[in-house]
Amino acid sequence: MKFSKKIEKCGLSPMRKFHPYAVAAQERGIKLYHLNIGQPDIETPPAYFEAAKAFNQPVLEYAPSVGVPELIDAIQKYYDNLDMHFEKNEIYITAGGSEALLMVMAAILDDGDEILIPEPYYPNYDTMANLCGASIHPIPTTPEEGYHYADRAKIEAEINEHTRAIMVTNPGNPTGVVLTPEEMRLMVDIAKEHDLFIIGDEAYREFVYAGEPLQSLGQFEDAAENVIVIDTVSKRFSACGARIGCVITRNHELLDQIMKYCQCRLCVPTIDQLASAALYDVGPEYFAKVREEYKKRRDTVMAGLEKIPGVICKCPKGAFYVMAALPVDDAEKFQYWLLEEWDDNGESVMFAPGEGFYGTPGRGKNEVRLAYVLKQADLERAMDLLAKGIAAYNAR
Amino acid sequence: MKFSKKIEKCGLSPMRKFHPYAVAAQERGIKLYHLNIGQPDIETPPAYFEAAKAFNQPVLEYAPSVGVPELIDAIQKYYDNLDMHFEKNEIYITAGGSEALLMVMAAILDDGDEILIPEPYYPNYDTMANLCGASIHPIPTTPEEGYHYADRAKIEAEINEHTRAIMVTNPGNPTGVVLTPEEMRLMVDIAKEHDLFIIGDEAYREFVYAGEPLQSLGQFEDAAENVIVIDTVSKRFSACGARIGCVITRNHELLDQIMKYCQCRLCVPTIDQLASAALYDVGPEYFAKVREEYKKRRDTVMAGLEKIPGVICKCPKGAFYVMAALPVDDAEKFQYWLLEEWDDNGESVMFAPGEGFYGTPGRGKNEVRLAYVLKQADLERAMDLLAKGIAAYNAR
């Protein structure tokens, strides 16, 4: 049987391929430290579970296609507190940030169209764009420049007749790059001047470590037609398994188009929406504590990397990832070797090899993404294993 | 800003347009009886809510992309009890039957491709196919023949070089048509002979009223490459707001393709999956009781229709819908009139006009879909209002 050209163009998750090797290592008794996945270990606020338990309707009915009013209200208030106002009908609830992105791309991308995205980027973006018959056009960056991309010349050099949108993950996954207010203004101006959508995947908004105020592309009311914000409770509240996100825009024509997609999948789960609404009652002390914890972890990772000769890495300002170039020939080969041939006192380490985050073939070969979602002591040991592993690998 | 051709081709739900008129009628004090929506009023089994409450992990983590093992096991066992065996890796959990359909269509449909579907059909299928750049090619049926479609000549006349799949909603929405075992065999044979996928949307499987055994296209192991089953807990357990469904197939190449889509949206909500697994512990007495209740309601609707001169309707064997041709010039006009100009003792009635269920322009104009999801007494009154409304409308 024949499959669609669109799905044939998609690939499996580049992170998954190491899973069987990890299982085999564990079966040999090796303890693995996981710097490879973005699943936070921070506890989900109990408010979520309490609200889910409080649901007491006898029939679990469909919710409205755009979301339950309680959650839309909570999100509106959250943005009001950040000095950004959206009308209730400018917020559509989605099955995680992922569905929000699928909907937006389906609404704006035709066959052969392109979205500009700074490279390295979250690999699932490729699948989402490919499913629309479109593709991602990378904006190149380098580890030496700390993956900096907010540069007019650099971006405009990549715009062509197929470009439909610029997309940024801000704070960045996998790079941790955080745009300054001036850089956000620049990105929005470029989108406006070239009549492009600008999509902000802002899943990691709260995870910034220099005391800077929280930001969003939603601030730019002068670009109401262009700006699309993708949001989610997944990382913000350590509630990845809730699958609750939203798409926010002041472009009502776009909302009308996306509504068609919303209606065809009927709705997002009722109880998860009500439970997620309760998350927004969590106070600023929750975020302050979480931020403090992640900041310590980032500093631990950076301290570990600084001790390894030949590493190229600038300290990232946000999210919970560090992207770095390692002094190895090939990070994938190195990962296989760490899983199959090496251990230190029965322990080894995993990371996400960089190649999977690049659209440009051949790039990212010696780079890795390290996710700091482990407790302090484990993180220290993981960085120690990485340093020892690199030394042993290069001394073979 | 420009939108994609694919989304421009999609429409809004044809049922939604009456909503503002219904609100206006209610504001004038009119009580409306809703035969227009497929939201069951039967209570969700408490096992769902109990299992949701029992969740006690401190972190609400991502679930596996293909679903949690507990739910996959429960579904496998459910099919084993129906004498159909699927391996665990042949069942992928999805966000309702809707996402299962979106995934399958994305995996098999290219631009210009067609899916054959008996007409009238569930309108969201249009959006799903259009989002893939494909379209639905209707197999025509008539109310006089009870919307019968399982006819080799009728189906083969519609197959062309663009046809990629045949899809059936069995039992049918909106028609209530249930295929006999021989008709299912025929449909599968046609698909095999023409090298097509055959997709069974079997959301209403349990809702059959002649004591016949429960069926599925999954029975046909000789068509392992062709058969795709779409399933959901929504109607089966009156749990529409859970948004838990699945796609089942023995075609492993197709599973490999769909896996890419599964991974890009990460997973389906963790708690809803565990709660849905608990639903499958509900015993056969639950289904027997629900079936008995819906059967009585169907008989009430049919008795009501038989009293109205000029109605064309054969008694449907399944689902919870009756599709009928009414003795009116235009069912949409009639619905607007019922909402804006008529009442009987301050009460009126809503249905789903038939035109929205047809892909062929101009068809279904005097047809309606009646959903029997009201309690007995309300249903009797609704049918009484329909009869009186028709008489008054035609006597204007």
Side-chain angles (χ1 to χ4, degrees):
Chain A
M1 306 293 287
K2 200 173 72 77
F3 302 103
S4 73
K5 288 188 202 82
K6 293 184 286 279
I7 202 93
E8 296 270 19
K9 216 179 138 194
C10 300
L12 289 170
S13 161
M15 269 80 106
R16 290 276 165 140
K17 61 182 169 189
F18 300 99
H19 183 68
Y21 298 86
V23 171
Q26 283 161 332
E27 281 170 1
R28 292 198 323 274
I30 305 292
K31 178 173 174 185
L32 295 175
Y33 288 78
H34 292 276
L35 301 174
N36 54 320
I37 46 164
Q39 166 62 58
D41 63 330
I42 304 282
E43 289 197 5
T44 312
Y48 186 93
F49 304 110
E50 285 157 20
K53 282 178 192 171
F55 183 84
N56 65 354
Q57 302 290 313
V59 185
L60 184 56
E61 294 190 357
Y62 287 119
S65 289
V66 295
V68 302
E70 292 87 341
L71 180 55
I72 295 171
D73 289 357
I75 293 172
Q76 185 189 40
K77 209 173 116 196
Y78 164 85
Y79 279 95
D80 277 337
N81 287 339
L82 296 180
D83 274 334
M84 272 166 267
H85 186 70
F86 298 100
E87 301 302 325
K88 291 194 209 306
N89 64 0
E90 294 171 339
I91 302 169
Y92 287 177
I93 306 304
T94 58
S98 314
E99 193 192 45
L101 287 164
L102 281 165
M103 284 182 175
V104 167
M105 291 198 197
I108 68 171
L109 297 178
D110 272 319
D111 282 25
D113 282 350
E114 295 181 357
I115 293 197
L116 281 190
I117 301 185
E119 173 177 69
Y121 58 86
Y122 180 57
N124 286 331
Y125 293 158
D126 277 321
T127 304
M128 294 168 181
N130 287 339
L131 285 174
C132 300
S135 61
I136 288 174
H137 183 117
I139 304 169
T141 72
T142 64
E144 289 78 5
E145 295 177 307
Y147 304 101
H148 181 258
Y149 59 85
D151 177 285
R152 181 180 282 271
K154 192 180 258 191
I155 294 164
E156 289 190 330
E158 306 299 332
I159 295 174
N160 62 41
E161 72 273 26
H162 304 294
T163 314
R164 298 286 303 123
I166 302 173
M167 183 159 139
V168 294
T169 321
N170 182 41
N173 172 15
T175 62
V177 168
V178 177
L179 292 173
T180 64
E182 296 71 29
E183 287 172 338
M184 289 181 79
R185 180 73 255 175
L186 172 71
M187 299 299 294
V188 169
D189 285 345
I190 295 172
K192 279 177 76 173
E193 287 161 30
H194 294 269
D195 205 23
L196 303 173
F197 287 105
I198 177 151
I199 307 167
D201 183 347
E202 302 181 350
Y204 298 93
R205 182 183 300 125
E206 272 75 9
F207 305 104
V208 287
Y209 307 119
E212 57 271 66
L214 302 187
Q215 298 184 106
S216 168
L217 288 178
Q219 293 157 220
F220 299 93
E221 292 197 33
D222 64 299
E225 295 298 299
N226 309 79
V227 167
I228 305 168
V229 174
I230 306 296
D231 201 355
T232 164
V233 302
S234 292
K235 314 289 176 175
R236 179 168 308 154
F237 298 107
S238 204
C240 300
R243 310 308 304 128
I244 294 294
C246 61
V247 52
I248 306 177
T249 179
R250 296 186 183 93
N251 182 329
H252 285 245
E253 281 188 317
L254 176 61
L255 288 164
D256 288 346
Q257 298 294 347
I258 293 178
M259 178 68 92
K260 302 170 181 176
Y261 196 130
C262 286
Q263 289 186 352
C264 99
R265 60 54 158 148
L266 302 168
C267 68
V268 173
T270 310
I271 296 179
D272 301 300
Q273 291 191 69
L274 295 170
S276 293
L279 286 175
Y280 280 91
D281 289 334
V282 163
E285 65 287 355
Y286 169 82
F287 294 111
K289 207 177 133 200
V290 171
R291 205 174 285 129
E292 190 52 37
E293 172 65 26
Y294 278 123
K295 187 179 182 214
K296 262 194 260 168
R297 294 176 181 187
R298 180 202 59 178
D299 295 342
T300 303
V301 171
M302 287 310 298
L305 287 173
E306 277 158 21
K307 279 187 225 149
I308 305 173
V311 163
I312 302 165
C313 180
K314 296 215 171 178
C315 182
K317 295 194 302 181
F320 39 67
Y321 305 104
V322 174
M323 188 95 185
L326 301 186
V328 296
D329 57 342
D330 182 325
E332 291 209 359
K333 253 176 68 188
F334 176 45
Q335 178 68 84
Y336 284 121
W337 182 83
L338 284 173
L339 290 171
E340 292 186 287
E341 304 187 30
W342 182 81
D343 71 85
D344 180 65
N345 278 327
E347 298 183 332
S348 192
V349 64
M350 288 186 79
F351 45 75
E355 229 177 324
F357 298 94
Y358 280 86
T360 308
R363 288 217 55 199
K365 248 189 152 46
N366 68 332
E367 293 170 52
V368 297
R369 185 194 72 174
L370 308 175
Y372 41 96
V373 291
L374 300 179
K375 311 227 174 309
Q376 200 60 20
D378 288 343
L379 206 51
E380 281 171 23
R381 173 63 178 150
M383 294 310 294
D384 176 48
L385 286 165
L386 185 65
K388 284 181 168 153
I390 290 172
Y393 178 78
N394 285 331
R396 281 168 313 162
Chain B
M1 306 294 286
K2 199 173 73 75
F3 301 103
S4 73
K5 290 188 201 79
K6 292 184 288 280
I7 202 94
E8 296 270 19
K9 217 180 137 193
C10 300
L12 289 171
S13 161
M15 270 79 107
R16 291 276 163 140
K17 61 182 167 188
F18 301 99
H19 183 68
Y21 298 86
V23 170
Q26 283 161 333
E27 281 170 2
R28 293 198 320 275
I30 305 290
K31 177 174 175 187
L32 295 174
Y33 288 78
H34 292 276
L35 301 174
N36 54 323
I37 47 163
Q39 167 61 59
D41 63 329
I42 305 283
E43 289 195 5
T44 312
Y48 186 93
F49 304 110
E50 285 157 22
K53 283 178 190 168
F55 183 85
N56 66 353
Q57 302 289 314
V59 185
L60 184 56
E61 294 189 358
Y62 287 120
S65 289
V66 295
V68 302
E70 291 87 342
L71 181 55
I72 295 170
D73 289 358
I75 293 172
Q76 184 189 42
K77 209 173 116 197
Y78 164 86
Y79 279 95
D80 277 338
N81 288 338
L82 296 180
D83 274 334
M84 270 167 270
H85 185 70
F86 297 101
E87 302 300 326
K88 292 194 208 305
N89 64 1
E90 293 171 341
I91 301 168
Y92 287 176
I93 307 304
T94 58
S98 314
E99 192 192 46
L101 286 163
L102 281 166
M103 283 182 175
V104 166
M105 291 199 198
I108 69 171
L109 297 178
D110 271 318
D111 280 26
D113 282 350
E114 295 181 357
I115 292 196
L116 281 190
I117 301 186
E119 172 179 67
Y121 57 85
Y122 180 57
N124 285 331
Y125 293 158
D126 277 321
T127 305
M128 295 167 181
N130 287 339
L131 286 173
C132 301
S135 62
I136 288 175
H137 182 116
I139 304 169
T141 72
T142 64
E144 289 79 5
E145 296 178 306
Y147 304 101
H148 180 257
Y149 59 85
D151 177 285
R152 181 179 283 271
K154 192 181 260 192
I155 294 164
E156 289 189 332
E158 306 299 332
I159 295 174
N160 63 39
E161 73 273 26
H162 305 292
T163 314
R164 298 287 303 125
I166 302 173
M167 183 158 138
V168 295
T169 322
N170 182 40
N173 172 15
T175 63
V177 167
V178 177
L179 292 173
T180 64
E182 297 71 30
E183 288 172 338
M184 290 181 78
R185 179 74 255 174
L186 173 70
M187 300 297 296
V188 169
D189 285 346
I190 296 171
K192 279 177 75 174
E193 287 161 29
H194 293 269
D195 205 24
L196 303 173
F197 287 105
I198 178 152
I199 307 167
D201 182 347
E202 302 181 348
Y204 299 92
R205 183 183 298 124
E206 273 74 12
F207 305 104
V208 288
Y209 307 119
E212 58 269 65
L214 301 187
Q215 298 182 106
S216 169
L217 288 177
Q219 292 158 220
F220 299 95
E221 291 197 34
D222 63 299
E225 294 298 298
N226 310 80
V227 167
I228 304 167
V229 174
I230 306 295
D231 201 353
T232 163
V233 302
S234 293
K235 315 289 175 173
R236 179 169 305 153
F237 298 107
S238 205
C240 300
R243 311 310 304 128
I244 294 293
C246 62
V247 52
I248 307 178
T249 180
R250 297 186 182 92
N251 183 328
H252 285 247
E253 280 187 319
L254 176 60
L255 287 164
D256 288 347
Q257 298 294 347
I258 293 178
M259 177 68 94
K260 301 171 183 176
Y261 195 131
C262 287
Q263 289 186 352
C264 98
R265 59 58 156 144
L266 302 167
C267 68
V268 172
T270 310
I271 295 179
D272 301 300
Q273 290 191 69
L274 295 170
S276 293
L279 286 175
Y280 280 91
D281 289 334
V282 164
E285 65 288 355
Y286 170 81
F287 293 111
K289 206 178 132 201
V290 171
R291 205 174 285 130
E292 191 52 39
E293 173 66 25
Y294 277 123
K295 187 179 182 216
K296 264 194 261 170
R297 295 176 180 187
R298 180 202 59 179
D299 295 343
T300 303
V301 170
M302 287 309 298
L305 287 174
E306 278 158 22
K307 279 186 226 150
I308 305 173
V311 163
I312 301 164
C313 180
K314 297 214 170 182
C315 182
K317 297 194 300 182
F320 40 66
Y321 306 104
V322 175
M323 188 96 184
L326 300 185
V328 296
D329 57 341
D330 182 324
E332 291 208 0
K333 253 175 67 185
F334 176 44
Q335 178 67 85
Y336 283 121
W337 182 84
L338 284 172
L339 290 171
E340 292 187 288
E341 303 188 31
W342 183 80
D343 71 85
D344 179 65
N345 278 326
E347 299 183 332
S348 192
V349 63
M350 289 186 78
F351 45 74
E355 229 177 324
F357 297 95
Y358 281 86
T360 308
R363 288 218 55 199
K365 248 189 152 45
N366 68 334
E367 293 170 51
V368 297
R369 186 194 72 174
L370 309 175
Y372 41 96
V373 290
L374 299 179
K375 309 226 175 309
Q376 199 61 21
D378 288 342
L379 206 49
E380 281 171 24
R381 175 62 178 150
M383 294 310 295
D384 177 45
L385 286 165
L386 185 65
K388 285 183 168 152
I390 290 173
Y393 178 76
N394 286 331
R396 280 168 311 160

